[in-house]
Amino acid sequence: MKKILLGIASAVCVLGVVGCSTGDGATTSDVSAPVSAAAVNTEEAAASAAAALEAQASAEASAEAAVASLKAEEEKEAKEAAAEEAAAKKRKAAAKERIANAKPMSKRDLARLVKKPDSATGDVAVFYGTITQFDAATGECIFRANISHAKMYSSWKYEHNSIFVGGDGLSDCPKLDDFIADDEVKIVATSMGSYSYDTQAGGNTTVPKFKVEKISLLK
């Protein structure tokens, strides 16, 4: 009987040990649950960190692209400005050359210009004439003149009524400061097409218009 009781006690003890080491399922579940939750939290944190890094990288890439685009645009604008400046210098040099090499027109070519002023816009030539009006009515930088293809022996031989503009056309025209009506002049001028104005007689007339490049008194 005593041996039987000892055997039962040993069995209980073994069962107790097993129960302590393995638990009854509920114990094992209670231990593993917190471990699994921690793992999930760690994975979520890692995923969140990775997403943040990816967003930062994307933002940095966008910023770099914007800077590169801005730099490219600035370089393009600088090249365009340089090209325009070079073109302007070229045009200015060409204009100076045309003025320096200007020649008088033939009588026939001048008659064609007077007939169709707009067809000669931009042409540079030498003209001879007499200033017929240069007063408060015309303004400081505009005068009327009768012109011809060559110097005439009499003022009435200058036959083509024309308008000449100097400087800015308003008040800044130092080349014209010393000239007055009735002066006989030699003018290097650029054709500006046609110009229409009302006459004192109440009518309207259209004449050639020129920009004064050089002007001098004829002796």
Side-chain angles (χ1 to χ4, degrees):
M1 185 67 176
K2 186 177 181 180
K3 289 182 179 181
I4 293 172
L5 290 174
L6 288 173
I8 291 172
S10 298
V12 171
C13 182
V14 170
L15 289 174
V17 172
V18 172
C20 290
S21 62
T22 62
D24 59 357
T27 303
T28 302
S29 176
D30 291 341
V31 172
S32 62
V35 174
S36 298
V40 170
N41 290 338
T42 300
E43 290 177 358
E44 290 178 349
S48 182
L53 289 173
E54 184 177 355
Q56 181 180 359
S58 178
E60 290 176 351
S62 297
E64 290 176 358
V67 170
S69 178
L70 179 60
K71 184 177 180 181
E73 185 66 23
E74 289 176 346
E75 290 176 350
K76 180 182 178 182
E77 290 177 355
K79 287 181 180 180
E80 290 176 349
E84 178 58 30
E85 183 179 358
K89 287 182 179 179
K90 188 175 181 179
R91 289 193 298 269
K92 188 175 181 179
K96 284 185 176 180
E97 185 176 358
R98 288 196 300 272
I99 293 168
N101 298 327
K103 307 291 183 186
M105 287 185 167
S106 69
K107 184 176 182 178
R108 185 175 183 83
D109 286 342
L110 179 56
R112 286 175 176 171
L113 183 152
V114 172
K115 181 181 178 181
K116 296 178 65 176
D118 293 332
S119 66
T121 301
D123 290 351
V124 182
V126 176
F127 304 95
Y128 299 86
T130 298
I131 297 176
T132 56
Q133 184 181 6
F134 200 178
D135 52 25
T138 64
E140 297 179 31
C141 299
I142 300 175
F143 64 84
R144 285 196 312 111
N146 290 336
I147 62 172
S148 188
H149 66 290
K151 186 180 184 305
M152 298 289 135
Y153 63 85
S154 176
S155 61
W156 62 268
K157 293 291 287 184
Y158 295 108
E159 55 185 328
H160 301 298
N161 180 26
S162 303
I163 293 290
F164 287 85
V165 179
D168 64 359
L170 297 173
S171 60
D172 184 15
C173 47
K175 292 179 182 178
L176 304 184
D177 286 348
D178 295 331
F179 295 90
I180 59 174
D182 297 326
D183 282 344
E184 190 176 6
V185 292
K186 175 183 178 182
I187 308 171
V188 178
T190 300
S191 177
M192 299 177 68
S194 60
Y195 178 80
S196 297
Y197 66 93
D198 295 331
T199 65
Q200 292 181 350
N204 183 274
T205 187
T206 299
V207 299
K209 182 179 179 180
F210 301 94
K211 178 184 177 182
V212 177
E213 306 294 355
K214 296 180 181 180
I215 184 170
S216 59
L217 280 172
L218 287 174
K219 302 295 185 178

